[in-house]
Amino acid sequence: MKKTLIILAASAAALTSLSAPAIASARPAHVVAVVDHRGPGHASAQLNSRIATLDARIDQGRRTGQLSPREGRRLNKELNLISSQKRSFERSGRGLSAQEVSLIDNRLDRLQGQIHFEKHDFNNRRG
């Protein structure tokens, strides 16, 4: 019995150590990465495009009733805070650093998930 437990513990430890790096590096398929390969202004343009897309999704959700007025205001407020932070980073005079792009990108990813959740949570449906 003791020998079996030791073998099981060793196997579990070996499997955990093999799968941990793979799990840590996994990224959800819906996440959009903003990568700047074309110069200093390109990442900013990609972020602006994502911001505009999320704004349109919030507006569409409000129009169709998938988002309540309260949910729409909260999501718009978060989007405005992200946009404000991006503008603040841009005012530094040197453009957006890779770390700043990553920070804004991660916040936009979270907001994208929140929008999806709120639009599909069925708590504002009639019928």
Side-chain angles (χ1 to χ4, degrees):
M1 177 75 172
K2 189 174 183 181
K3 189 175 184 179
T4 305
L5 288 175
I6 291 172
I7 292 171
L8 286 175
S11 298
L15 289 175
T16 303
S17 66
L18 291 176
S19 63
I23 292 169
S25 66
R27 187 171 181 162
H30 72 278
V31 174
V32 179
V34 176
V35 181
D36 187 3
H37 293 294
R38 300 183 202 170
H42 188 67
S44 182
Q46 283 183 308
L47 291 173
N48 287 340
S49 175
R50 284 196 68 199
I51 289 169
T53 300
L54 293 177
D55 188 41
R57 288 187 67 211
I58 294 168
D59 289 343
Q60 182 266 342
R62 290 174 96 170
R63 279 193 318 274
T64 62
Q66 289 178 302
L67 294 173
S68 70
R70 180 184 219 175
E71 290 169 338
R73 281 191 306 272
R74 186 181 58 76
L75 294 168
N76 269 332
K77 181 180 178 185
E78 179 62 24
L79 185 61
N80 290 338
L81 289 171
I82 295 169
S83 295
S84 177
Q85 185 177 35
K86 179 184 165 292
R87 283 192 304 275
S88 175
F89 287 156
E90 289 171 333
R91 282 194 295 266
S92 67
R94 54 178 166 57
L96 294 170
S97 71
Q99 184 178 10
E100 292 167 341
V101 169
S102 179
L103 178 73
I104 298 297
D105 198 37
N106 288 337
R107 289 186 69 189
L108 289 172
D109 288 342
R110 265 194 313 276
L111 180 60
Q112 181 178 345
Q114 290 171 349
I115 292 169
H116 178 81
F117 175 80
E118 294 294 350
K119 285 178 77 173
H120 297 90
D121 65 358
F122 299 104
N123 70 350
N124 195 43
R125 302 284 169 93
R126 294 177 187 88

